[in-house]
Amino acid sequence: MKREIVKTSDGSTTIYLPELEENYHSKHGAIQEAKHVFIKNGFAENKAPTISILEIGFGTGLNAFITFLEAKKTNQKVNYSGIEAYPVPFDEIAQMNYVIELQAAAFETEFKKMHDCEWNINVKISDDFCLTKRKQFFSEIDDVEQFDLIYFDAFGYRVQPDLWSTEIFEKMYNSLKPGGKLVTYAARGVVKRSMIEVGFTVEKLAGPPGKREMFRATKAAI
Ligand SMILES: C[S@@+](CC[C@H](N)C(=O)[O-])C[C@H]1O[C@@H](n2cnc3c(N)ncnc32)[C@H](O)[C@@H]1O
């Protein structure tokens, strides 16, 4: 499938798949979207000293890197698991401008390590950030009560509706600890209904630039 590296409205890069007419991130701003959806409405809501995060769609590693930078500011420890069936090739990662756009030159080594490290093993990126990149399909996830937070960042419903089904959200629900939360850029009624069907309580929040709304789903605390 043809792939193009393009710039989004905030100057940060993303990958565009012309055949699907789909981007890896919002065309209105990849970094802005990641900060709003996953950090402001997800990570920043959890003040625990150690947080376990599951990412659905590791892709370019943007969400992982921004989380790493945020955790440095808040002095939190992060155990991060990123699921990805189709790893982004190194030459494309090299064209992503996240280190520059995030003014994070001091952490370029850590960004590189996130991509160079082996798949399917737990790697210490820094003293406070451990990463496991899991090369698997979302349908193969079978974790039970492992995570505090899920970044649900699959391609959109228009392109991959099967990834927004009750089967997948049931896996997400099971993998969260009681009281755990899932955040996603999506805000379709059909997605909300699937989330509610498997037991989540769903909030509609203001979306990132260019998108009116987004969802945050919570698993009941015991
Ligand atoms: C929207 S992109 C993720 C963007 C990513 N979070 C980032 O910051 O770059 C969706 C990702 O899901 C991956 N993907 C698509 N279908 C999948 C599946 N069935 N199982 C696992 N990964 C899949 C794609 O390869 C792509 O990297």
Side-chain angles (χ1 to χ4, degrees):
M1 197 182 286
K2 198 163 176 269
R3 301 161 67 87
E4 295 170 5
I5 310 297
V6 295
K7 268 201 182 164
T8 64
S9 296
D10 67 3
S12 55
T13 44
T14 191
I15 299 166
Y16 177 61
L17 307 176
E19 282 157 53
L20 301 178
E21 293 182 21
E22 182 76 345
N23 284 308
Y24 272 54
H25 308 93
S26 165
K27 64 179 184 192
H28 301 289
I31 288 180
Q32 279 187 23
E33 176 189 51
K35 283 190 169 171
H36 180 90
V37 175
F38 303 110
I39 303 300
K40 178 171 175 247
N41 289 325
F43 183 75
E45 293 278 309
N46 192 323
K47 310 282 184 219
T50 302
I51 307 180
S52 292
I53 299 175
L54 175 68
E55 179 174 25
I56 299 304
F58 181 77
T60 63
L62 173 61
N63 293 334
F65 188 53
I66 293 186
T67 303
F68 164 82
L69 296 174
E70 286 300 317
K72 282 233 155 285
K73 293 183 203 158
T74 57
N75 279 323
Q76 285 166 292
K77 285 191 191 298
V78 176
N79 293 312
Y80 198 101
S81 297
I83 312 294
E84 178 58 64
Y86 312 101
V88 175
F90 284 119
D91 66 304
E92 292 182 11
I93 295 296
Q95 295 176 66
M96 295 297 127
N97 64 2
Y98 303 140
V99 171
I100 292 169
E101 289 294 316
L102 289 162
Q103 299 176 338
F107 301 108
E108 184 159 20
T109 310
E110 284 81 356
F111 181 70
K112 287 211 171 108
K113 197 167 172 186
M114 285 181 182
H115 289 288
D116 292 344
C117 71
E118 258 187 76
W119 288 81
N120 304 317
I121 58 163
N122 186 261
V123 177
K124 205 170 164 177
I125 302 297
S126 71
D127 282 347
D128 296 327
F129 194 99
C130 290
L131 172 66
T132 307
K133 292 188 297 183
R134 285 164 42 180
K135 192 167 179 305
Q136 65 177 169
F137 289 103
F138 303 142
S139 55
E140 293 168 336
I141 295 171
D142 59 1
D143 303 74
V144 178
E145 299 193 356
Q146 292 298 307
F147 301 101
D148 301 295
L149 179 62
I150 296 177
Y151 294 165
F152 198 88
D153 199 13
F155 287 134
Y157 181 86
R158 180 186 59 85
V159 179
Q160 285 188 300
D162 49 313
L163 299 184
W164 302 84
S165 60
T166 47
E167 287 75 21
I168 297 289
F169 285 123
E170 191 156 45
K171 289 177 178 295
M172 299 299 107
Y173 193 86
N174 292 340
S175 70
L176 281 172
K177 298 176 190 170
K181 291 179 191 291
L182 175 155
V183 276
T184 182
Y185 64 85
R188 281 186 186 240
V190 63
V191 169
K192 183 177 180 180
R193 286 192 288 282
S194 292
M195 289 171 161
I196 290 173
E197 204 176 314
V198 303
F200 280 116
T201 302
V202 182
E203 294 166 84
K204 203 177 246 186
L205 307 173
K211 287 188 184 168
R212 203 141 34 105
E213 288 155 344
M214 60 164 278
F215 288 142
R216 180 168 58 209
T218 304
K219 178 171 177 169
I222 291 175

